[in-house]
Structure formats: structure tokens, C-alpha cells
Amino acid sequence: MPTPAEIVDLTPFDPPPGKSGWVPGQGPRAHIDMVDADPSWLAVFTSLEQQIRTALGDLAVAVEHVGSTAVPGLPAKPIIDIDVTVPDAGDEAAWLPELEALGLVLTVREPWWHEHRCLRGDDPATNVHVFSPGSPEVVRHRLFRDWLIEHPEDLAMYRDTKVAAAAASNAAGEHVMEYNARKESVIHEIYGRVFRGEGLL
């Protein structure tokens, strides 16, 4: 379990000089396709979770539905975000072939940021984020999801921010990383309330 100080630290991790987190040939999604909340997203996650757990067996320490599709009533890109914790995300030989066999493609490798890897699936659309145990990012994702579910005023704030950011990014021809940057200040504001509510600050 990460420490409170690690959980509340939102300092970005930049790649080391000359490094990129993108696997060669991969890059961010270009268009921000924002849609209304879909109750079927839970069933899609449940199916993906079963496939991942079956593929990884005991290596699947945890499989969590995170991101906006995990929050009922929240508009989102129709892409299921999943956090998968494995014993050692850096040991790709132990878990990557099993996930690739599900049709997932490794797109991001960031050993400098909690050993994060991301795999992308297209049918259904999904981002599978792989971390080692003790990653504060996994805890933050879960706390943010649960806070929005329990606090409709912050859900409304985040909803409006997402919709406006998607419209602005699409109008400017931006990709998903720039869309995320447009939301960052509001996300940090909500995280402040999350951390205080959880007694972490």
C-alpha cells in the first residue's frame, strides 16, 4: 500500500531525456468521441475482467474498472479503462503474452512512472493499464471514481469540464493528451477534496 504522501503527490513524471513512453508505431488517439453515459459499460467491463483474470490467473492481483465509464451518469469516451495489478509490471514476459492473446496491443511503456504499461483494445474499445503492487495511481483512480459516485456536485463539475474540453480539443484538432491537459486543473481541484475527505491531507 502506498503512503499517504505518495497518494496525494500529483507531480507529473516526465520521461527521462531522450525517452518516450509511446511504443514505436503507437501514439495517442486523435479524436475525442464524447458520448452520454451507457449502462451497458458495466457489462462490457465485467466481460473483459473475466477474460483478463482467466488469461492471467494468479498474476491478476487486482482488476478494477476505473475512469469515466465506471461512473454511472457520466459522459465519457466509449473506451473502458481498466487497471490491472500484477506482481511485477516490469516483468513483461510473465504477463504480456497472455494479454496480447486477447487482442490487446502494448502502446505505452513507462518504467519510470510506477512501472506503468498500457495496452489498447479495439473490440470492445479499452485501455488496460498495468501496474505493480503499491502504485499510488491505482489508489487515486479508485478514490476519484468512488468520490464522483458519492458526490453529485463534483460529478456535475467534472461532467461539464469533460464536455467543454472535448469540444475545444476537437475544434482545435488536438489529441487525447491535450484533452487531458484541459481537464487537469479541475481534476486536481476535485482530488484536493478527495484527499481531505479521506484524511490524507
Side-chain angles (χ1 to χ4, degrees):
M1 181 68 179
T3 67
E6 290 171 329
I7 294 171
V8 304
D9 184 3
L10 299 176
T11 306
F13 279 69
D14 293 324
K19 298 287 187 178
S20 170
W22 292 106
V23 171
Q26 301 295 332
R29 300 178 191 264
H31 185 76
I32 314 303
D33 183 20
M34 187 70 59
V35 302
D36 291 336
D38 186 340
S40 72
W41 287 335
L42 176 58
V44 175
F45 162 74
T46 301
S47 175
L48 290 167
E49 178 189 21
Q50 182 176 10
Q51 294 175 54
I52 291 168
R53 289 190 178 278
T54 298
L56 293 180
D58 292 342
L59 292 177
V61 177
V63 182
E64 291 260 11
H65 188 191
V66 296
S68 294
T69 63
V71 180
L74 187 60
K77 304 185 300 296
I79 302 168
I80 307 300
D81 280 299
I82 301 174
D83 280 351
V84 176
T85 301
V86 298
D88 180 3
D91 183 11
E92 293 181 7
W95 56 266
L96 182 56
E98 284 73 12
L99 294 186
E100 289 178 327
L102 297 178
L104 299 169
V105 176
L106 183 67
T107 58
V108 173
R109 178 186 287 117
E110 297 177 301
W112 54 84
W113 188 61
H114 315 303
E115 287 291 349
H116 172 244
R117 271 70 170 169
C118 182
L119 295 92
R120 182 182 295 167
D122 291 324
D123 187 20
T126 183
N127 291 325
V128 176
H129 301 272
V130 180
F131 293 97
S132 297
S135 167
E137 188 70 2
V138 172
V139 177
R140 285 192 289 265
H141 286 173
R142 186 176 67 248
L143 290 174
F144 195 82
R145 175 199 66 196
D146 293 349
W147 182 270
L148 291 182
I149 291 172
E150 297 165 4
H151 294 82
E153 67 284 356
D154 276 338
L155 187 151
M157 172 187 284
Y158 189 47
R159 177 197 65 217
D160 294 347
T161 299
K162 283 168 57 69
V163 170
S169 287
N170 286 333
E174 296 173 347
H175 54 60
V176 70
M177 305 304 289
E178 292 161 315
Y179 158 75
N180 288 338
R182 289 179 180 272
K183 302 185 299 175
E184 187 173 88
S185 64
V186 169
I187 289 174
H188 284 201
E189 179 183 339
I190 294 173
Y191 262 131
R193 288 190 282 275
V194 174
F195 296 152
R196 287 189 293 273
E198 292 292 322
L200 297 169
L201 286 177

